[in-house]
Amino acid sequence: MSLLSFFNRRNASAPVARERLQILLAHERTMNGTSDLAVILKEEILAVIAKHLTVDQDKVQVKLDRERDFSTLEIDIELPMVEVTRGR
Amino acid sequence: MAKVLVVTSGKGGVGKTTSTAALGVALAQLGQRVVLVDFDVGLRNLDLIMGAERRVVYDMINVINGDAKLAQALIRDKRIDSLSLLAASQTRDKDALTNEGVAQVIDELREKFDWVVCDSPAGIERGATHAMYHADMAVVVTNPEVSSVRDSDRIIGLLDSKTQRAEKGEQVAKHLLITRYDPGRAARGEMLKVEDVLEILSIPLLGVVPESEEVLKASNIGSPVTLSAPTSSPARAYLEAARRLNGETLPVNIPAERKGGLLGKLFGSRVA
């Protein structure tokens, strides 16, 4: 039986399904009703920055990565050089 | 006191209508007065699965609009005396169901029957929310497969927020029914196991219905599996599930892989 289960392990996709679902649903449950959180955060962060700097909307990257225990929201904003020096 | 039970899942094609029919027959066989209500406006199928497709004269929307009395629209099952069906409209669109209309029909059905079993359409749109709104209990039908489990999780969230009970701060009693389960594939790690699905969705297990050719055969002939093949494994799972719904405490029988020799197992794992 142990030999057989070893032989079968290569085909065992169910543990992958289980893992993916656990991570996904943990996030979907907390995000319920606030599914647009990434969009809201992006808009509000940009609004704060726009008070001080002119930001090109095309040079804003938003990435969301969900892991088992934490999520990362990455907002990458490319700032024009001139504006930064003026701000100082 | 009548109980309103919704059979729901979010995802389509997992066996809501089949389960509604099989559980409805089983409850009626336990001596309960049961009405099955199809909420899938425009895509009705419960009539077909029950073998009553040629007997539909009036549907729920006719009753809501006052074209027919409820008693005229109820189709009494020819095989089981205490079982009736209320069909969905095939020609109207889903907006024809109004909150007040549905509430009135459900209230009237509560007076006539012990069980009002609502067959929900797939999705989370109006038809599905109408079907669940009045529910006291819910059977969440889930296949051991990622998209079905995810959608069931979503539906469980809606049962906890978008029902009359939730609005009153009460709970809808939720029960998990796993269908199309293949114990061999689960044992080989090719399919989510019952305990995986249970752990993820964490609602009480009502039953596990194994994948079986009897289920398609039952649909083909318009006779729910609990009626047409009562000793088959899916029928036994549905019968036990119905007894649990009816208040009996029974251990849940989880289908196991048929034991063969080592050769049989090796062969089994190859052909799957």
Side-chain angles (χ1 to χ4, degrees), chain A residues 12-14 18 22 24 28-29, chain B residues 150 153 189 191 196 199-200:
Chain A
S13 53
R18 179 192 145 103
Q22 282 174 330
L24 174 70
E28 283 192 345
R29 284 168 191 159
Chain B
R150 181 196 207 173
D153 191 75
M191 180 183 267
D196 293 334
E199 188 194 334
I200 293 167

Side-chain angles (χ1 to χ4, degrees), chain A residues 4 8 11-15 17-18 21-22 24-25 28-29 32, chain B residues 146 149-150 153-154 188-192 196 199-200 265-266 269:
Chain A
L4 190 68
N8 282 334
N11 295 330
S13 53
R18 179 192 145 103
L21 274 170
Q22 282 174 330
L24 174 70
L25 294 181
E28 283 192 345
R29 284 168 191 159
N32 197 17
Chain B
V146 286
V149 175
R150 181 196 207 173
D153 191 75
R154 186 93 165 85
R188 291 192 295 276
E190 297 168 9
M191 180 183 267
L192 288 166
D196 293 334
E199 188 194 334
I200 293 167
K265 278 180 187 165
L266 275 171
S269 69

Side-chain angles (χ1 to χ4, degrees), chain B residues 71-227:
Chain B
Q72 295 174 295
L74 288 173
I75 303 164
R76 173 84 66 93
D77 193 276
K78 287 190 168 167
R79 302 153 297 199
I80 305 175
D81 216 32
S82 62
L83 182 63
S84 294
L85 168 71
L86 181 58
S89 172
Q90 185 71 338
T91 50
R92 312 293 183 92
D93 61 57
K94 59 184 187 302
D95 295 332
L97 286 181
T98 58
N99 292 342
E100 302 73 32
V102 172
Q104 212 173 342
V105 170
I106 296 282
D107 281 347
E108 213 174 321
L109 290 173
R110 272 184 197 269
E111 286 168 21
K112 293 184 197 290
F113 296 91
D114 301 312
W115 290 88
V116 180
V117 184
C118 305
D119 182 21
S120 173
I124 54 172
E125 306 294 318
R126 275 189 76 182
T129 49
H130 274 305
M132 72 167 66
Y133 186 74
H134 298 278
D136 303 307
M137 306 167 87
V139 170
V140 179
V141 183
T142 307
N143 291 167
E145 177 273 323
V146 286
S147 52
S148 174
V149 175
R150 181 196 207 173
D151 292 359
S152 292
D153 191 75
R154 186 93 165 85
I155 283 292
I156 290 167
L158 294 179
L159 288 167
D160 287 335
S161 60
K162 303 283 184 199
T163 53
Q164 194 172 44
R165 283 201 165 223
E167 286 171 3
K168 286 194 281 184
E170 297 168 5
Q171 283 275 321
V172 173
K174 300 174 291 287
H175 301 275
L176 179 65
L177 185 68
I178 298 178
T179 55
R180 309 199 71 164
Y181 189 68
D182 184 331
R185 302 198 73 187
R188 291 192 295 276
E190 297 168 9
M191 180 183 267
L192 288 166
K193 290 187 168 67
V194 169
E195 57 259 38
D196 293 334
V197 181
L198 258 183
E199 188 194 334
I200 293 167
L201 295 178
S202 56
I203 58 172
L205 182 63
L206 181 70
V208 181
V209 182
E211 173 82 74
S212 164
E213 57 192 35
E214 291 295 341
V215 175
L216 179 59
K217 208 184 282 176
S219 302
N220 287 344
I221 61 173
S223 175
V225 71
T226 34
L227 197 62

Side-chain angles (χ1 to χ4, degrees), chain B residues 6 19 51-52 65 68 83 96 126 132 149 163 187 197 228 232 249 264 267 271:
Chain B
V6 62
S19 297
N65 290 348
L83 182 63
R126 275 189 76 182
M132 72 167 66
V149 175
T163 53
V197 181
S228 60
S232 65
T249 314
F267 185 67
V271 291

Side-chain angles (χ1 to χ4, degrees), chain A residues 24-42:
Chain A
L24 174 70
L25 294 181
H27 285 278
E28 283 192 345
R29 284 168 191 159
T30 55
M31 293 281 188
N32 197 17
T34 59
S35 54
D36 292 335
L37 185 64
V39 177
I40 295 165
L41 284 175
K42 177 191 160 184

Side-chain angles (χ1 to χ4, degrees), chain B residues 24-93:
Chain B
V25 164
L27 281 168
Q29 284 172 333
L30 294 173
Q32 301 285 300
R33 292 170 301 168
V34 181
V35 61
L36 307 180
V37 186
D38 192 346
F39 274 83
D40 206 344
V41 178
L43 290 170
R44 78 172 175 220
N45 274 318
L46 188 54
D47 55 333
L48 195 54
I49 299 301
M50 291 299 296
E53 70 276 11
R54 295 195 297 180
R55 299 175 59 206
V56 180
V57 182
Y58 296 113
D59 54 55
M60 177 158 50
I61 289 170
N62 292 135
V63 177
I64 289 175
N65 290 348
D67 307 329
K69 289 239 174 4
L70 181 62
Q72 295 174 295
L74 288 173
I75 303 164
R76 173 84 66 93
D77 193 276
K78 287 190 168 167
R79 302 153 297 199
I80 305 175
D81 216 32
S82 62
L83 182 63
S84 294
L85 168 71
L86 181 58
S89 172
Q90 185 71 338
T91 50
R92 312 293 183 92
D93 61 57

